[in-house]
Amino acid sequence: MQSLFLSRFSSLYITTALFCLLFLVGAFQFEGFGSSRVVANLFSDNAFLVITAIGMTFVIISGGIDLSVGAVIALTGVVCGLLIGELQMHPLLVFPLVLVGGGLFGAAMGALIHYYRLQPFIVTLAGMFLARGLATTLSEESIPIEHAFYDAVSDFGMLLPGGAWVGASTLILLLVLVAAVILAHYSRLGGYIYALGGSAQSAQLMGVPVARTTVSIYAISGFLSALGGIVYSFYTFSGYSLAAVGMELDAIAAVVIGGTLLSGGSGYVLGTVIGVLIMGVIQTYISFDGTLNSWWTKIVIGLLLFAFIGMQRLLTRQQAARLATGAAH
Amino acid sequence: MSNLNTTAGRPPAPAKIKLPRVNGRYLWPLLGLFLLLAVNLAITPEFFRIEIQDGRLYGSLIDVLNRSAPVALLAIGMTLVIATGGIDLSVGATMAIAGAVCANLIVGGVDSIFLVVAAGLAAGLMAGAVNGGLVSYMGIQPIVATLILMVAGRGIAQLINAGQIVTFQSEAFAFIGTGTLLGLPFPIVLVLIVFALVQLLMRKTALGLFVESVGCNAGASYYLGINQRAVKIVAYCIAGICAALAGMISAADIQGSDANNAGLWLELDAILAVVIGGASLMGGRFSIPLSIVGVLVIQCLGTTIIMSGLPAKFNLLIKAVVVIFVLLLQSPLFQQQMGALFARFQKRTNTEAKV
Amino acid sequence: MNLLSLSGMEKRYPGVKALDGVDFQLRAGEIHALLGENGAGKSTLVKVMTGALQGDGGSMSFLGAPLKLKSTAHAQSVGISTVYQEVNLLPNLTVAQNLYLGREPKRFGLIDWKRINRQSREVLKRFDLDIDVSRPLSSFSVAVQQLIAIARGVDMSAKVLVLDEPTASLDADECEQLFGVMRELRDKGIGIVFITHFLDQVYAVCDRITVLRNGQLVGEFEAATLSRSELVGHMLGKELQAQTHGREHREEKSLTQPLLEVQELAVSGSLQPTSLCVRRGEAVGLAGLLGSGRSEVCRAVFGVDRKTSGTLKVNDAEKHFLQPADAISEGLALCPEDRKTSGIVGPLSIRENIALALQARRGWWRPISRVEQERLAQRFIRELQIATPDAEKPIEQLSGGNQQKVILARWLATSPQLLVLDEPTRGVDIGAHAEILKLIRQFCRDGMSLLVTSSELDELLAFSDRVAVMRDRRKVAEIEGDDITEGNIMRAIAEA
């Protein structure tokens, strides 16, 4: 019973408990913190990060890493800015274009990783330079996006009791979340992704199409980053080549705090969402406090990272020890 | 005595033996560098002109060297870490911490420049020890272990700076970034000193051999009795110290500590430089001179783009293309494909020639 | 009728013929043991018949029709499933996921978990496993994992099941459970290829036995009519009748002080309490089949595996080795069995590989100068006749025999008191083989103490003053003096 608790959902429980704890601390300390409005804002303010981090979750579960996501967000923003803001194309024409573009970008990185046996770290680093470089080349200035559709999007949504506003970003986030859970747990590809993270060699012997899966994983991450970029542009009404610098770190941190093993093979999409929310709560807490500086966010996230990685390490060691003793008798 | 004869029979043996091993490895990075220099020379003949004013050398070349100093320092440390099969993502953050420590000590009224520098170095050493400990004693993957400090490090630097950009007035400290020694900008001198020290430490003791052994085959190294944990910690500590020095240069340069931007993304440049220098990210053989060549390639690339009249905004794009190309060049499959392509091309030209 | 038949199988690697015209026949409804020592070619043969490797020559037929396997997936799809020694399933996935990965039943386009879990339970019931299939595989013992792997293989409508050392990490009860399942499957008409190095197990479940040696077929036998000692004879390439002659005559050594004394040394999971003594200037051979505990003794003595009980004395002083470095500082040296992963440092040169152990012992701050390194390298290249144009060649580019000599040189450079050689001639070509034996004999003459494992009896005869025989991870006999004959050793190995 204990091992069941330890090995399966334990990280998810811990993450959720941590979120509740942080939220409660804030709610007790500050008036107005414990409102549904704050919760709704956590979602809408971090929607682009959640969407991107969900893509990162799949990459990390498979045992890889994607450093290009922040740059893809910026590139998406710039392309949207150029096509919508300057050329006045309709967003509904532009969006499919950038989404497919993001997917192809990721797929190309996946193909390089698989076929040329290059390390994901360095390939996606090059991808980050490439995307950021393309964005800079297209425009060094921030491009404002003015379009009736964007206004409609920002007006779209519903007001929940307590002043909570559920906008388009939040709705997109929820849609992505549902799709991601289905992909992870109710599709063959999902099983393959977990299988790759468990052991690429065993997966191959068990008949997993490794090439197709690897390319798909990075394509999904690229696609979701592009989607994150679109949602980000709803938020800023502009496209800027220096947007979302360092966002890949936030995404990775959220995935780890969400309980996904950085060595791959285990993790939950839902955990990642809560991971982002934890980071959001810390930021909200600091802004409510007013005396604390924003740099505490980084230190606290660093400490959380350390705690979670240490815990993961302990868990895997315990598991290995249990297997060894299991083999002994 | 007969042993002596065999070695004495080939007096220049060491030099002779060293060349063939290194030749192939030096070829591509150096070729790249020379190509870039040649392009620079073609578009701006004055690129190589070096003038002496007030006992200091001036010129584009000196500029390139001076500007590449922080990355060169990082690359020296990064080379060792990568050689052990690791990676250090936290060096940029370590730069910020060291800069912040020094700036605050100066502002806090510490007069002794030695004390300030020593404190900065200690900060770097500590960061390195934390990384090394996580990697070798806790067995955490290097990317993950150093990610912690990469995220938290900037926060720590900002904590030290209390969230401000701390500016200071200290001629002695500013010398690190802007001073001149022996006619050269001090950062270049500093790089040369650190390079010489680390190179001596690696090649005149057995440490370099141990680093390569651990990087090539950690298992066999353990059977050999090499303390691989200690070797790894030393590598991360050196990387930390190098990062601290780089952080001091950039702080001295602007006479202030900016925790947000000091050394931002420089870790990536350093890793890139090592990769361009031909080192494998899996660990093993390393060459600090080659990593320095890699640094110069990156720096020259930027200068070339500006000199050639292309807008600076192409900088990143071209860097990305170069990186992808270098990566592919190192992939055995790509080499094979290129070889096959070349063979087919040759065959076609041959048959055409026959016809 | 033959279910699966391979004839004239060939597989060449640079310098080695791993399979040299091997025939193999598997009938439906039999359990067929495939036996052989290290380098006999059985793992290559398994890889060929499961599609992991393509043979260079020979043909294969399955159910009477010729078959050319392209991949393991292809082999699986025609009905040849393999279960490997290390469970090749995914520990992070649930049992049910492992059973149905890639062929999950779906409902409305989504994976139907209810059905998968129900079917998984049904499949496992046939193996007498009543477990929670929604738990991750890693939460079960290796034995259960092994059974699940077999269940996956069988459920994918296997006609041929290849079990590659499935019992390596199982205890007696677990083995019995596995054998029960194997017999049941056999009775259902499935052909099972069973690879193991435990002779007891061969006789417990197998109907027929095929023995390979040095890439060639020794023969195919009925288990019921082949005696244990005949089997060992076939595996080691010796006829029992011819085993009366002893080893070559050698001068008797006077009994000297014990150098290494091991009392009831045990390592949990790999070595049962074992006592052993190596005197100064004495060469002790460790005989036994693969997996008998030979290598485990070497590893425990050298501090690679930490002992869990017992004592170890060097020169009458008790030592606790926590890592190889501790053993090295006491003058021990080990040439490990797996040269590639624990022996050579591939990309480094011969010179560096030779200098490394001595350098590690001296510490990093007292470097061996380049000139001195070169002198060392030149000396050993000459003395051990290492075939290389110069000392700067990366060791990974040498042949196996020369690599082994470099590793010997590495330890000789440290002038060890006791040299432990674990299968020093494994994967070494014939010429180098003889040279390495010559070297070992010379070390004996020079008065060095040696502890050598080998699966070649004539090797052991050639230099041992004493032979300790290992079986089932413990020492079962010790043979001394004129009693050291191939016959005696083989009897000790084979005795049940």
Side-chain angles (χ1 to χ4, degrees):
Chain A
M1 214 44 230
Q2 196 198 3
S3 71
L4 177 72
F5 172 75
L6 270 181
S7 56
R8 285 207 68 192
F9 296 107
S10 57
S11 53
L12 206 53
Y13 293 145
I14 293 171
T15 312
T16 315
L18 187 66
F19 170 71
C20 295
L21 184 78
L22 287 171
F23 189 76
L24 284 177
V25 167
F28 273 111
Q29 218 169 336
F30 306 110
E31 203 177 326
F33 195 103
S35 65
S36 56
R37 192 170 53 86
V38 169
V39 177
N41 282 352
L42 276 182
F43 277 96
S44 60
D45 289 354
N46 294 299
F48 73 100
L49 181 57
V50 173
I51 292 169
T52 316
I54 285 175
M56 184 73 83
T57 312
F58 287 116
V59 177
I60 291 181
I61 287 176
S62 80
I65 201 151
D66 188 351
L67 297 182
S68 71
V69 293
V72 171
I73 288 181
L75 178 59
T76 308
V78 170
V79 171
C80 285
L82 280 177
L83 295 184
I84 301 169
E86 292 197 353
L87 298 179
Q88 285 297 317
M89 280 171 72
H90 195 276
L92 286 180
L93 270 175
V94 175
F95 291 164
L97 210 69
V98 292
L99 288 175
V100 169
L104 286 178
F105 186 82
M109 291 194 298
L112 278 177
I113 290 166
H114 177 79
Y115 290 107
Y116 289 104
R117 295 182 194 289
L118 300 172
Q119 290 194 337
F121 174 81
I122 199 86
V123 170
T124 55
L125 176 61
M128 164 180 155
F129 286 156
L130 189 68
R132 192 72 70 191
L134 274 174
T136 322
T137 312
L138 289 175
S139 164
E140 285 182 293
E141 309 289 311
S142 172
I143 311 166
I145 302 176
E146 278 165 32
H147 196 281
F149 182 80
Y150 267 69
D151 298 331
V153 165
S154 77
D155 289 340
F156 181 81
M158 51 189 145
L159 199 62
L160 294 182
W165 175 253
V166 176
S169 304
T170 310
L171 290 176
I172 293 175
L173 179 163
L174 293 175
L175 272 179
V176 169
L177 178 61
V178 170
V181 169
I182 290 176
L183 174 70
H185 302 295
Y186 292 94
S187 78
R188 277 193 190 152
L189 181 60
Y192 293 156
I193 292 173
Y194 280 88
L196 269 193
S199 158
Q201 199 195 352
S202 291
Q204 181 137 38
L205 282 173
M206 285 174 78
V208 170
V210 177
R212 210 177 67 207
T213 309
T214 308
V215 172
S216 309
I217 290 165
Y218 287 91
I220 290 169
S221 177
F223 176 87
L224 287 180
S225 304
L227 186 59
I230 291 172
V231 171
Y232 191 67
S233 73
F234 290 158
Y235 193 69
T236 59
F237 285 89
S238 66
Y240 183 34
S241 61
L242 289 179
V245 166
M247 231 274 305
E248 51 279 341
L249 283 186
D250 292 339
I252 294 170
V255 172
V256 174
I257 293 174
T260 299
L261 273 183
L262 255 172
S263 45
S266 150
Y268 297 95
V269 171
L270 198 61
T272 299
V273 176
I274 299 172
V276 175
L277 293 184
I278 286 180
M279 291 162 62
V281 163
I282 295 169
Q283 259 157 4
T284 315
Y285 183 93
I286 284 163
S287 66
F288 264 77
D289 183 276
T291 58
L292 287 172
N293 269 308
S294 65
W295 29 268
W296 274 106
T297 320
K298 282 178 184 161
I299 297 180
V300 173
I301 290 172
L303 285 175
L304 283 179
L305 266 180
F306 176 72
F308 272 81
I309 289 167
M311 192 176 73
Q312 290 177 358
R313 192 67 208 148
L314 225 64
L315 271 176
T316 41
R317 269 197 190 168
Q318 257 174 14
Q319 228 162 46
R322 206 172 52 230
L323 277 182
T325 49
H329 43 244
Chain B
M1 267 343 248
S2 60
N3 306 330
L4 275 180
N5 286 342
T6 39
T7 16
R10 330 188 305 219
K16 217 177 174 180
I17 283 164
K18 204 170 180 176
L19 274 177
R21 190 189 97 203
V22 160
N23 239 347
R25 289 160 46 86
Y26 268 88
L27 183 68
W28 286 105
L30 276 180
L31 204 68
L33 185 59
F34 284 135
L35 200 73
L36 281 173
L37 291 177
V39 170
N40 275 321
L41 186 65
I43 36 187
T44 45
E46 67 269 29
F47 182 74
F48 282 95
R49 203 166 66 208
I50 293 171
E51 289 170 0
I52 304 180
Q53 281 173 22
D54 311 326
R56 184 192 192 278
L57 294 174
Y58 284 92
S60 308
L61 214 51
I62 301 292
D63 256 11
V64 168
L65 291 176
N66 197 9
R67 249 179 286 138
S68 61
V71 181
L73 284 170
L74 296 184
I76 291 172
M78 191 68 76
T79 308
L80 302 182
V81 170
I82 287 179
T84 63
I87 204 155
D88 189 349
L89 297 181
S90 72
V91 286
T94 308
M95 280 177 71
I97 295 178
V101 165
C102 293
N104 281 282
L105 284 181
I106 294 169
V107 171
V110 175
D111 286 331
S112 161
I113 179 74
F114 294 107
L115 213 62
V116 171
V117 171
L121 291 178
L125 185 67
M126 243 157 65
V130 167
N131 287 330
L134 288 178
V135 169
S136 63
Y137 281 93
M138 284 189 67
I140 298 174
Q141 294 161 273
I143 290 189
V144 180
T146 54
L147 179 72
I148 296 174
L149 200 55
M150 184 185 187
V151 173
R154 281 191 193 281
I156 294 170
Q158 277 165 329
L159 181 69
I160 297 169
N161 281 355
Q164 310 291 316
I165 293 178
V166 176
T167 56
F168 54 83
Q169 290 291 325
S170 162
E171 257 178 53
F173 194 78
F175 183 83
I176 297 175
T178 53
T180 305
L181 194 70
L182 304 172
L184 283 172
F186 187 69
I188 300 179
V189 179
L190 193 60
V191 170
L192 289 177
I193 293 172
V194 171
F195 170 72
L197 281 179
V198 175
Q199 188 73 354
L200 275 180
L201 182 67
M202 288 298 138
R203 300 303 181 191
K204 289 298 158 192
T205 74
L207 210 51
L209 184 61
F210 287 175
V211 166
E212 288 182 340
S213 180
V214 167
C216 288
N217 190 340
S221 304
Y222 177 64
Y223 272 77
L224 273 165
I226 294 173
N227 187 344
Q228 48 151 336
R229 285 180 172 169
V231 169
K232 282 184 183 164
I233 289 193
V234 167
Y236 283 94
C237 284
I238 293 177
I241 291 174
C242 288
L245 283 172
M248 285 186 241
I249 290 180
S250 68
D253 210 22
I254 58 166
Q255 307 244 1
S257 156
D258 178 357
N260 272 327
N261 294 310
L264 194 64
W265 309 122
L266 285 196
E267 58 274 338
L268 300 182
D269 275 357
I271 294 168
L272 215 57
V274 177
V275 171
I276 290 178
S280 156
L281 279 177
M282 310 295 287
R285 285 276 192 217
F286 71 90
S287 161
I288 299 175
L290 274 180
S291 298
I292 301 278
V293 171
V295 172
L296 293 179
V297 167
I298 294 177
Q299 199 66 43
C300 274
L301 197 64
T303 313
T304 311
I305 292 165
I306 296 166
M307 291 276 191
S308 63
L310 274 173
K313 59 185 186 180
F314 284 107
N315 204 336
L316 257 177
L317 195 61
I318 292 174
K319 198 150 118 187
V321 173
V322 169
V323 175
I324 293 170
F325 185 66
V326 168
L327 284 178
L328 283 176
L329 268 186
Q330 289 179 355
S331 154
L333 180 68
F334 186 78
Q335 290 166 1
Q336 235 172 50
Q337 286 175 342
M338 287 301 110
L341 207 69
F342 186 71
R344 210 163 62 195
F345 175 75
Q346 216 167 27
K347 208 165 134 196
R348 189 181 298 160
T349 45
N350 278 354
T351 44
E352 271 168 16
K354 267 179 208 160
V355 172
Chain C
M1 191 195 101
N2 283 331
L3 186 60
L4 177 72
S5 124
L6 288 83
S7 61
M9 258 314 156
E10 301 212 348
K11 180 78 197 171
R12 279 177 295 273
Y13 292 111
V16 201
K17 227 172 183 180
L19 287 180
D20 189 2
V22 171
D23 300 332
F24 180 79
Q25 268 87 32
L26 179 72
R27 295 182 195 139
E30 74 162 347
I31 301 178
H32 194 137
L34 182 58
L35 301 178
E37 279 294 272
N38 261 334
K42 56 182 191 307
S43 56
T44 312
L45 188 64
V46 165
K47 281 185 184 149
V48 169
M49 73 171 91
T50 58
L53 271 180
Q54 271 83 45
D56 297 326
S59 62
M60 188 167 163
S61 72
F62 183 62
L63 292 168
L67 175 72
K68 203 148 177 66
L69 291 174
K70 290 189 277 287
S71 65
T72 48
H74 182 208
Q76 269 176 20
S77 69
V78 300
I80 302 174
S81 291
T82 318
V83 175
Y84 298 90
Q85 176 183 358
E86 266 105 53
V87 184
N88 257 317
L89 296 180
L90 295 154
N92 57 324
L93 300 189
T94 67
V95 173
Q97 272 179 311
N98 268 296
L99 283 171
Y100 284 96
L101 185 68
R103 51 190 189 107
E104 296 95 340
K106 288 189 172 181
R107 199 159 169 248
F108 309 123
L110 298 181
I111 290 179
D112 186 353
W113 283 110
K114 255 193 193 150
R115 209 167 122 205
I116 290 183
N117 288 342
R118 196 183 60 234
Q119 287 183 356
S120 300
R121 273 193 297 275
E122 282 164 14
V123 167
L124 293 179
K125 273 234 174 75
R126 281 191 269 153
F127 292 82
D128 282 332
L129 278 181
D130 190 15
I131 55 175
D132 180 0
V133 295
S134 62
R135 277 172 60 179
L137 186 76
S138 60
S139 55
F140 297 98
S141 74
V142 180
V144 172
Q145 294 188 22
Q146 203 66 266
L147 286 175
I148 293 167
I150 294 172
R152 177 181 159 92
V154 173
D155 194 55
M156 291 175 80
S157 72
K159 297 179 186 68
V160 172
L161 192 59
V162 181
L163 304 179
D164 191 352
E165 295 196 29
T167 56
S169 43
L170 305 190
D171 66 20
D173 287 347
E174 291 165 339
C175 282
E176 242 351 282
Q177 194 183 358
L178 174 65
F179 293 161
V181 170
M182 285 167 66
R183 290 189 196 102
E184 210 172 292
L185 293 173
R186 169 186 62 192
D187 296 341
K188 284 184 188 145
I190 291 177
I192 299 177
V193 181
F194 180 46
I195 293 138
T196 180
H197 40 248
F198 296 109
L199 298 188
D200 290 346
Q201 297 179 354
V202 172
Y203 283 103
V205 285
C206 293
D207 305 305
R208 290 196 302 161
I209 300 169
T210 290
V211 179
L212 299 182
R213 190 174 153 74
N214 289 335
Q216 288 174 326
L217 178 70
V218 174
E220 191 187 83
F221 311 95
E222 294 289 331
T225 57
L226 183 72
S227 81
R228 208 170 262 260
S229 44
E230 278 174 317
L231 175 57
V232 173
H234 288 308
M235 286 171 69
L236 301 181
K238 301 287 165 189
E239 298 302 322
L240 200 58
Q241 289 76 11
Q243 302 310 304
T244 42
H245 76 271
R247 67 219 169 97
E248 63 186 78
H249 180 75
R250 31 192 314 176
E251 69 273 38
E252 284 304 314
K253 283 177 189 157
S254 54
L255 286 186
T256 49
Q257 284 295 309
L259 174 68
L260 173 82
E261 219 179 341
V262 166
Q263 287 286 340
E264 299 291 307
L265 186 73
V267 177
S268 121
S270 73
L271 186 65
Q272 304 287 338
T274 296
S275 301
L276 196 74
C277 172
V278 184
R279 298 198 181 85
R280 290 192 165 280
E282 187 184 41
V284 176
L286 272 175
L289 295 177
L290 198 64
S292 60
R294 295 178 315 205
S295 302
E296 286 74 5
V297 169
C298 300
R299 291 164 58 87
V301 163
F302 197 59
V304 178
D305 296 336
R306 249 178 243 188
K307 62 172 189 190
T308 39
S309 67
T311 58
L312 185 152
K313 286 183 188 168
V314 179
N315 286 328
D316 260 347
E318 190 171 349
K319 301 287 174 199
H320 296 276
F321 295 152
L322 300 177
Q323 54 200 357
D326 300 340
I328 294 168
S329 65
E330 291 298 326
L332 269 63
L334 168 73
C335 292
E337 183 186 21
D338 190 344
R339 213 164 31 233
K340 199 171 166 209
T341 60
S342 353
I344 63 169
V345 183
L348 296 193
S349 69
I350 297 170
R351 168 179 56 80
E352 287 163 313
N353 267 287
I354 290 179
L356 263 173
L358 182 61
Q359 184 64 71
R361 207 173 152 183
R362 282 168 62 151
W364 64 271
W365 62 94
R366 282 171 52 206
I368 306 171
S369 73
R370 175 111 190 181
V371 177
E372 216 173 318
Q373 288 184 16
E374 266 155 26
R375 203 177 301 155
L376 264 180
Q378 292 304 336
R379 189 184 119 207
F380 284 113
I381 286 176
R382 202 178 51 244
E383 282 182 5
L384 306 190
Q385 297 178 346
I386 299 167
T388 174
D390 65 85
E392 295 307 311
K393 201 168 173 178
I395 189 173
E396 60 194 357
Q397 292 173 12
L398 297 180
S399 71
N402 283 308
Q403 288 182 0
Q404 190 66 282
K405 287 182 186 172
V406 173
I407 293 172
L408 278 173
R410 167 194 291 174
W411 291 115
L412 291 177
T414 66
S415 346
Q417 298 190 59
L418 173 68
L419 188 55
V420 184
L421 305 175
D422 194 358
E423 290 262 18
T425 55
R426 180 180 165 194
V428 159
D429 51 297
I430 302 285
H433 190 273
E435 282 174 15
I436 287 173
L437 277 186
K438 213 174 88 193
L439 286 171
I440 293 177
R441 264 194 231 119
Q442 193 194 322
F443 300 155
C444 291
R445 274 201 299 276
D446 295 347
M448 197 183 287
S449 303
L450 288 165
L451 181 63
V452 188
T453 78
S454 176
S455 42
E456 308 276 338
L457 293 185
D458 38 5
E459 278 185 33
L460 292 170
L461 288 184
F463 54 75
S464 305
D465 296 309
R466 213 141 40 86
V467 174
V469 180
M470 303 288 299
R471 195 179 60 224
D472 296 336
R473 302 192 173 121
R474 58 160 54 89
K475 191 176 85 174
V476 292
E478 198 166 299
I479 309 171
E480 234 170 311
D482 289 337
D483 290 337
I484 305 180
T485 61
E486 290 185 342
N488 281 342
I489 297 176
M490 272 164 51
R491 262 188 288 279
I493 293 176
E495 241 162 52

